[in-house]
Amino acid sequence: PPTPGGPPRGPRARTPPERRRRRRKKPRKMSHHVHGGKAIGAAAIAAARMVVSRTGLTPGGHQRVLRCGAIAIKKGMSMFWDHHGALHPLTILQIQQCHVIQQKVPEIDGYLALQVGSIDKKPNRAMRAETMHAAKAGVAPKRHMQEFYVTPNALLAPGTEITASHFRPGQYVDVTGISIGKGFQGGMKRHGFKGQPATHGVSRAHRSIGSIGMRKTPGRVWKGKKMPGRMGGDKITVLGLRVVSVDHVNGLIAVRGAVPGSKEKAVRVRDAIRMKHHLHNETLDLPVPTRIFGEGDAKESPPLPEVEWTSTEEWPNIFMPPEGT
């Protein structure tokens, strides 16, 4: 029996408070970045990116110049060799019949943007409202329409044509398009699952995804579970594609890398929004608001060559080991 006034004994005896081990709380896992010593949540980062893409104002207070983008037609893919002999994929985009249709102003629409149209429509296939809307800008009704947020110093008058000369070789662009639809696909093609074993106990279920749930707990299938379903046909933006060449005569631009969508489909091309790409573009002195030919001071002197190529001497040599190894 315990001594009077002493601590209790036995398996159920309580440990004195001074000897108890305090459990440390595990830090809550969350997606955040550190900015100025403070943690920023994913929602705040998404909101900041939206502000930068719409107004050009960065969290640090720097005001970017947001130029108008263009609507291009994907013509196909090609390739080229750089200064070091490495092979790179190219996507050919054509900008033709691309005009500014309307200005969106804060006093009326609540934001500042430009409505751009590309590829003329046949008059007998255009509705009366489309014809009258395009006639205000002095152009034909367009097949593809997009809006681009701009800053006041990059506004363009309705009817202004945007050509391939709007972009310069060496700059970075972001391209948005609709990916090729694949229809209803299984888990192996849609998500890259390895499937079931080829032998030993598998009966005609080699490409199935297997179990999708657990036992009584939780007793359901988790939301967002990767399963068979529709694949492709999504709006995808590829960030940071470098413009390799610009054909001023035929209205072609060649970007390094792949662009979503199939041939002869319209894609949206704009200046790159990532900070490192934006800082690189600022060194190229891009034409603001755009490059216009045949209007006094806007003429290029000396005239531009038919095709401009970017220099690849500064590109990293993939055949050499990285520095410091």
Side-chain angles (χ1 to χ4, degrees), residues 70-78 89-94 173-180 234-243 253-270:
I71 302 175
I73 304 298
K74 181 178 177 181
K75 289 298 181 179
M77 297 197 69
S78 183
L90 287 182
T91 302
I92 310 300
L93 307 176
Q94 186 175 26
V173 295
D174 299 336
V175 182
T176 303
I178 305 299
S179 62
I180 299 175
D234 301 319
K235 182 179 179 181
I236 297 178
T237 300
V238 182
L239 303 176
L241 297 178
R242 175 172 283 190
V243 178
I253 62 173
V255 297
R256 182 188 178 277
V259 169
S262 56
K263 294 180 182 180
E264 302 300 329
K265 295 297 182 180
V267 294
R268 173 190 174 105
V269 186
R270 68 174 184 188

Side-chain angles (χ1 to χ4, degrees), residues 48 50-64 66 151:
M50 183 183 67
V51 171
V52 174
S53 63
R54 294 190 176 186
T55 64
L57 186 63
T58 62
H62 174 67
Q63 179 62 52
R64 294 184 180 182
L66 292 184
T151 47

Side-chain angles (χ1 to χ4, degrees), residues 7 18 48 53 65 69 182 246 248 251 263 301:
E18 61 273 7
S53 63
V65 177
K182 304 293 184 181
V246 176
H248 301 282
K263 294 180 182 180
S301 178

Side-chain angles (χ1 to χ4, degrees), residues 3-14:
T3 56
R9 298 177 181 177
R12 297 186 179 180
R14 299 180 100 187

Side-chain angles (χ1 to χ4, degrees), residues 102-235:
Q102 184 185 10
Q103 290 182 351
K104 300 286 186 176
V105 294
E107 293 78 10
I108 300 177
D109 306 289
Y111 60 97
L112 189 62
L114 290 176
Q115 187 183 78
V116 178
S118 177
I119 307 300
D120 295 344
K121 252 186 181 181
K122 292 183 179 179
N124 59 343
R125 293 189 177 182
M127 294 186 294
R128 181 179 175 83
E130 296 176 342
T131 304
M132 298 301 294
H133 180 65
K136 295 179 181 179
V139 297
K142 300 296 181 179
R143 190 181 302 172
H144 309 288
M145 303 282 285
Q146 289 287 332
E147 284 189 6
F148 295 92
Y149 290 98
V150 296
T151 47
N153 57 345
L155 273 176
L156 291 170
T160 305
E161 184 178 7
I162 300 175
T163 63
S165 304
H166 184 72
F167 302 97
R168 285 195 172 176
Q171 80 164 98
Y172 288 95
V173 295
D174 299 336
V175 182
T176 303
I178 305 299
S179 62
I180 299 175
K182 304 293 184 181
F184 195 97
Q185 298 295 334
M188 293 182 66
K189 182 178 179 67
R190 192 183 186 203
H191 302 292
F193 293 165
K194 68 176 182 179
Q196 306 302 320
T199 56
H200 300 293
V202 179
S203 299
R204 293 176 292 180
H206 305 285
R207 296 184 63 86
S208 65
I209 62 175
S211 174
I212 61 172
M214 286 155 279
R215 305 180 72 177
K216 187 175 181 179
T217 302
R220 60 188 177 90
V221 179
W222 294 106
K223 288 185 178 180
K225 174 66 179 175
K226 294 181 179 179
M227 297 177 67
R230 287 191 60 183
M231 180 180 178
D234 301 319
K235 182 179 179 181

